[in-house]
């Protein structure tokens, strides 16, 4: 096993609150362990272009509380090609970088797996995405902040819904995953939650809305972006079926990706940042550091990107029981 002296860290894919806390943890844990640490700007694109800068303890000062990523992020088309990855490897060799920490989601880890396979470079991943759509960790960095942003926004929408006796359809992020919708739905007392993982039973939802009419003057239906139909169509359908409801649609969009990370995301990022550096020193590679039941665990990239079955159907049952 080759001794690791120089490592580099990058953020890739969609930004998520807490990525800065993770960068800070990797840089400082690296320095603590006597390593030289580099930062790669704009994700894999920066590796291909050689946009790699030395990092020191000061370069990550005062960032733990900031949303976004100071290293910037991108989705790199060039890195998807062999030629792009070859260029990336050349740049790594020039700086004598022995190993990488990549912070991102499934696309990031898919790219990392290919890179390891072709160029034999040790890489450890840290889960950074608001969607929480990775196996091998109970929560991804940014998810907690994003759901709290949604809860805050929906609570405000509820004020208007209640004042005007309206029904609001609120579309939240989650291209392939309903996890943001489900948790934010429970915590805002939503009357229904529509997610891509489950078949939507419109008849049941319509009946439920009608049956509980006497108890409520406002209604919130949360729709995940990845739902088969999406917020616009759902709002139209409800308006058609219930002409007596005053229906409005609100698409929350990218406000869910920004903002200062919650305490939970900062602690998660700090723990996984330190764990990833220690893992590289111990000779681990091709794995994502995650937190399962409070313990740091490592999951091969190939398994981490298969997030199927993460939906706890008991949570969807809770939405229904509590919507009376
Ligand atoms: O970060 C994941 C995610 O938020 C998805 O839920 C969403 O579909 C996607 O990013 C949108 O990303 P972008 O606008 O950067 O393409």
């Amino acid at each position: 096993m080759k001794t690791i002296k120089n490592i580099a860290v990058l953020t890739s894919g969609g930004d998520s609150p807490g990525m800065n806390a993770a960068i800070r943890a990797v840089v400082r844990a690296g320095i603590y362990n006597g390593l030289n640490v580099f930062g790669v700007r704009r994700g894999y694109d920066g590796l291909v272009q050689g946009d790699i800068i030395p990092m020191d303890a000061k370069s990550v000062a005062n960032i733990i509380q900031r949303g976004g990523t100071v290293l910037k992020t991108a989705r790199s088309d060039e890195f998807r090609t062999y030629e792009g990855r070859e260029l990336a490897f050349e740049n790594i060799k020039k700086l004598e970088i022995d190993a990488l920490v990549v912070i991102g989601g499934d696309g990031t880890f898919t790219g990392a797996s290919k890179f390891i396979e072709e160029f034999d470079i040790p890489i450890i991943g840290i889960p950074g995405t608001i969607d929480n759509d990775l196996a091998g960790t109970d929560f991804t960095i940014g998810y907690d902040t994003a759901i709290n942003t949604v809860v805050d926004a929906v609570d405000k929408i509820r004020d208007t819904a209640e004042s005007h006796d309206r029904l609001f359809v609120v579309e939240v992020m989650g291209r392939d995953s309903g996890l943001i919708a489900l948790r934010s739905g429970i915590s805002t007392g939503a009357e229904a939650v529509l997610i891509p993982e489950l078949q939507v039973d419109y008849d049941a939802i319509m009946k439920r809305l009608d049956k509980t009419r006497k108890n409520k003057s406002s209604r919130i239906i949360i729709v995940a972006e990845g739902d088969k139909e999406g917020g616009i169509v759902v709002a139209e359908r409800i308006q058609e079926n219930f002409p007596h409801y005053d229906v409005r649609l609100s698409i929350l969009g990218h406000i869910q990706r920004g903002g200062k990370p919650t305490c939970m995301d900062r602690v998660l990022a700090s723990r996984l940042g330190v764990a990833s550096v220690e893992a590289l020193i111990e000779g681990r590679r091709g794995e994502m550091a995650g937190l399962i039941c409070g313990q740091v665990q490592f999951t091969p990239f190939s398994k981490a990107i298969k997030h199927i079955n993460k939906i706890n159907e008991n949570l969807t049952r809770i939405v229904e029981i509590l919507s009376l």
Side-chain angles (χ1 to χ4, degrees), residues 115-144:
F115 204 38
I116 296 174
E117 211 179 284
E118 292 166 346
F119 297 98
D120 194 30
I121 170 132
I123 307 180
I124 289 290
I126 297 180
T129 162
I130 63 161
D131 290 345
N132 200 27
D133 57 349
L134 290 166
T137 190
D138 291 339
F139 299 106
T140 55
I141 297 165
Y143 175 63
D144 186 61

Side-chain angles (χ1 to χ4, degrees), residues 13-16 75 128-133 172-177 180 225-226 253-254 256-257:
D15 66 325
S16 70
R75 295 186 168 100
T129 162
I130 63 161
D131 290 345
N132 200 27
D133 57 349
V172 301
M173 271 190 167
R175 191 171 32 204
D176 307 306
S177 165
I180 293 178
E225 171 194 1
H254 287 80
Q256 295 161 91
R257 285 246 292 261

Side-chain angles (χ1 to χ4, degrees), residues 38-94:
F38 293 87
V40 183
R41 289 160 48 83
R42 291 177 295 97
Y44 291 129
D45 228 24
L47 267 193
V48 176
Q49 309 299 332
D51 194 354
I52 304 170
I53 49 172
M55 307 283 282
D56 58 17
K58 197 170 168 211
S59 63
V60 290
N62 199 25
I63 65 167
I64 192 169
Q65 76 280 21
R66 284 167 56 191
T69 158
V70 291
L71 286 176
K72 299 192 179 285
T73 183
R75 295 186 168 100
S76 171
D77 287 335
E78 265 191 286
F79 194 75
R80 288 203 184 96
T81 66
Y82 179 80
E83 291 70 28
R85 292 191 292 276
E86 203 172 28
L87 274 178
F89 185 63
E90 289 301 314
N91 288 326
I92 286 176
K93 265 204 322 207
K94 258 186 243 159

Side-chain angles (χ1 to χ4, degrees), residues 126-291:
I126 297 180
T129 162
I130 63 161
D131 290 345
N132 200 27
D133 57 349
L134 290 166
T137 190
D138 291 339
F139 299 106
T140 55
I141 297 165
Y143 175 63
D144 186 61
T145 307
I147 52 179
N148 278 293
T149 301
V150 173
V151 168
D152 188 49
V154 175
D155 286 348
K156 288 174 178 150
I157 289 171
R158 179 74 83 172
D159 289 345
T160 298
E162 191 68 20
S163 306
H164 288 264
D165 296 341
R166 279 181 183 161
L167 183 152
F168 269 85
V169 172
V170 182
E171 187 185 284
V172 301
M173 271 190 167
R175 191 171 32 204
D176 307 306
S177 165
L179 289 165
I180 293 178
L182 199 48
R183 272 188 188 249
S184 56
I186 290 177
S187 48
T188 54
E191 277 64 36
V193 175
L194 275 52
I195 56 175
E197 292 86 344
L198 298 175
Q199 192 70 33
V200 180
D201 182 349
Y202 270 106
D203 283 345
I205 291 175
M206 305 291 188
K207 270 195 203 120
R208 204 190 315 156
L209 286 178
D210 223 20
K211 208 170 100 191
T212 58
R213 236 177 121 192
K214 60 178 186 321
N215 296 338
K216 315 198 166 187
S217 60
S218 68
R219 309 301 179 92
I220 302 281
I221 299 190
I222 307 262
V223 182
E225 171 194 1
D227 170 68
K228 204 164 72 273
E229 295 186 315
I232 297 176
V233 175
V234 171
E236 281 167 4
R237 266 189 187 250
I238 291 176
Q239 188 67 87
E240 262 166 44
N241 280 277
F242 294 102
H244 50 281
Y245 281 136
D246 191 7
V247 179
R248 292 289 188 282
L249 168 68
S250 188
I251 298 177
L252 297 188
H254 287 80
I255 61 159
Q256 295 161 91
R257 285 246 292 261
K260 50 196 241 149
T262 58
C263 171
M264 179 171 148
D265 276 329
R266 296 181 201 194
V267 174
L268 179 65
S270 303
R271 288 187 72 178
L272 298 185
V274 172
S276 64
V277 171
E278 290 173 351
L280 285 174
I281 293 169
E282 283 161 18
R284 286 183 172 274
R285 53 162 60 198
E287 294 174 310
M288 181 196 82
L291 209 65

